[in-house]
Amino acid sequence: MKILKDSAEQAALRSFRNAVEPLLNNPSEITRGCQVEIHFSPSIYRKLIIPRGVSHSFDGLEGIITRDEPIWYMDDNNADWNINNDLVSVPKKNPVSSELFVTVNNNKLPDKAHLLFSQLQQHILQTPKLYSSREKIKVNGEYKYVMFEDIEWLKSEDKVSEIQNEVGQFSIDGVRVKKNKYAYTGSESYTIVPNTSSCVSDILIMNKQSDYFYYKNFNVYMTIMNENIEEVTITLHDLRKDKDGVREVVSLPSDPRINIKIPAGVAVKITSKKELIIRAEIEVLYNEAGELSVNDSLISVSENELANHKFKAPERIMPMEVVNILAKLETEKFFIGAE
């Protein structure tokens, strides 16, 4: 696995880390207001850590998918913080006016509070919303925070309903296409929040031509994160013993604002002209005896072998707390390290 493409990029990232780490460890007058610019290529194998209180802007993000994993902090009386909108917009210029400097929160929230925040976002975004721009401006000689919304961003919302109508209903029981929960952050950009109560997800990298695969103990909600792919063909084959073995083929537009739910025991084959990035959110299932096995839950199978994989899928949904524990264990198992 090659994490950084070349020595020049490694040097650029080291320079960035050397410039930013002092902001986190010792935010003093020496580093406050400093600006750093780096050039790097997007990669699924590394992450960029931006400390709280460090403003940031990206150029060249068109068509790029970012996965944001916030670590929230809270304080009692911080005038710069708003629980409803933690982002502050500042002008992209150097130097930044000292009046726009902010006080950061210092009390890291526990995991349960992170989960609660995500669930609140889910509740708020039952229907898509505009993400307000929160800016610090001077009013009558005093700086105050004001929020702005651009209703023009909602113009593309009709397209999502059109996609749902085009796809229609499925003959395989439990398969359906539905809107994700998201907020518009621009005319063609949006922040997507989790769908399941556990608020965890995996990222799958799918080849142009995949074999069939299915989950024995998971319902999965799949979101194709790529945009502007001409055609994604999804072939479904029901392997559940109590069903009729229905096979179904559907063309699904690639739009991150929709997801397709695949029940446990339904085999999936995905074909496209490009490599796909898919967000997979799961509901863990267990049987009537209370037994759960996750070690062999994802099964890959060729088309010729489908008839040999009939089984009865479990139906009871595991509580979200268990799914969170499983996700943490998986993270610890596969964590490579920051270097």
Side-chain angles (χ1 to χ4, degrees):
M1 180 184 297
K2 188 176 181 182
I3 295 181
L4 298 179
K5 289 190 174 181
D6 52 49
S7 58
E9 190 169 329
Q10 291 181 8
L13 290 175
R14 279 198 299 271
S15 298
F16 177 79
R17 183 174 60 189
N18 292 337
V20 170
E21 280 186 346
L23 292 172
L24 182 62
N25 300 325
N26 183 26
S28 66
E29 293 295 337
I30 297 175
T31 56
R32 188 177 292 123
C34 290
Q35 188 177 67
V36 177
E37 182 177 299
I38 63 170
H39 300 264
F40 61 96
S41 303
S43 170
I44 61 172
Y45 300 119
R46 60 174 181 262
K47 57 190 175 185
L48 177 64
I49 300 174
I50 303 175
R52 60 199 187 279
V54 177
S55 63
H56 48 280
S57 176
F58 296 94
D59 292 324
L61 268 189
E62 183 178 357
I64 301 296
I65 304 152
T66 63
R67 173 171 171 152
D68 299 338
E69 299 177 283
I71 300 174
W72 281 306
Y73 289 74
M74 180 180 286
D75 270 343
D76 289 334
N77 297 304
N78 185 351
D80 293 316
W81 180 59
N82 185 325
I83 192 172
N84 295 314
N85 188 335
D86 190 41
L87 295 180
V88 179
S89 299
V90 297
K92 188 178 177 181
K93 62 181 182 180
N94 186 31
V96 176
S97 172
S98 60
E99 288 85 358
L100 299 180
F101 291 165
V102 299
T103 301
V104 299
N105 292 343
N106 293 303
N107 300 312
K108 184 179 177 180
L109 295 180
D111 288 346
K112 288 185 177 180
H114 281 80
L115 182 59
L116 177 60
F117 266 101
S118 294
Q119 291 169 341
L120 287 173
Q121 289 178 328
Q122 290 178 336
H123 179 73
I124 292 170
L125 295 175
Q126 292 294 331
T127 57
K129 299 285 192 302
L130 291 169
Y131 204 103
S132 302
S133 171
R134 182 168 169 253
E135 301 183 21
K136 197 174 186 180
I137 63 174
K138 187 177 283 188
V139 180
N140 295 327
E142 182 182 355
Y143 277 95
K144 296 183 178 181
Y145 283 103
V146 179
M147 290 199 232
F148 300 93
E149 291 183 350
D150 189 342
I151 59 174
E152 292 292 311
W153 294 352
L154 289 173
K155 281 188 173 181
S156 64
E157 184 60 19
D158 290 341
K159 179 185 174 184
V160 187
S161 299
E162 291 175 5
I163 291 173
Q164 288 181 286
N165 293 332
E166 288 175 7
V167 174
Q169 300 295 317
F170 292 85
S171 57
I172 296 180
D173 185 37
V175 178
R176 59 108 185 97
V177 168
K178 192 176 180 180
K179 279 186 182 181
N180 280 316
K181 298 176 175 64
Y182 54 89
Y184 282 92
T185 56
S187 59
E188 292 293 336
S189 64
Y190 17 82
T191 292
I192 305 172
V193 304
N195 287 299
T196 60
S197 59
S198 64
C199 299
V200 298
S201 64
D202 291 327
I203 296 296
L204 307 179
I205 308 299
M206 305 293 298
N207 296 326
K208 300 176 186 178
Q209 180 78 33
S210 71
D211 287 331
Y212 279 94
F213 67 92
Y214 67 92
Y215 291 92
K216 291 179 65 176
N217 303 301
F218 298 161
N219 295 330
V220 60
Y221 299 79
M222 303 179 73
T223 300
I224 300 173
M225 304 302 291
N226 314 65
E227 278 197 301
N228 302 321
I229 295 178
E230 291 182 12
E231 184 175 301
V232 177
T233 302
I234 298 180
T235 306
L236 305 166
H237 197 112
D238 199 340
L239 303 179
R240 294 171 290 185
K241 282 185 177 179
D242 53 343
K243 305 299 179 183
D244 297 326
V246 177
R247 183 179 182 273
E248 192 165 6
V249 180
V250 62
S251 293
L252 188 68
S254 57
D255 192 309
R257 291 171 292 181
I258 63 170
N259 71 75
I260 180 170
K261 179 184 177 182
I262 311 294
V266 176
V268 186
K269 182 179 181 180
I270 301 177
T271 308
S272 70
K273 293 183 178 181
K274 295 182 180 179
E275 185 179 74
L276 295 179
I277 300 175
I278 296 178
R279 181 180 77 163
E281 303 174 275
I282 62 169
E283 292 173 335
V284 179
L285 307 176
Y286 65 100
N287 61 26
E288 295 178 358
E291 297 172 341
L292 168 67
S293 174
V294 296
N295 293 328
D296 59 348
S297 186
L298 178 60
I299 307 296
S300 179
V301 57
S302 68
E303 188 164 3
N304 295 332
E305 297 174 336
L306 284 173
N308 301 323
H309 284 256
K310 284 281 189 178
F311 72 101
K312 180 174 175 55
E315 297 179 351
R316 299 186 180 185
I317 298 177
M318 189 68 68
M320 63 178 181
E321 292 84 0
V322 177
V323 182
N324 272 274
I325 292 172
L326 291 173
K328 289 178 183 177
L329 291 173
E330 187 176 41
T331 300
E332 293 171 1
K333 179 180 178 181
F334 293 107
F335 180 68
I336 298 174
E339 296 297 325

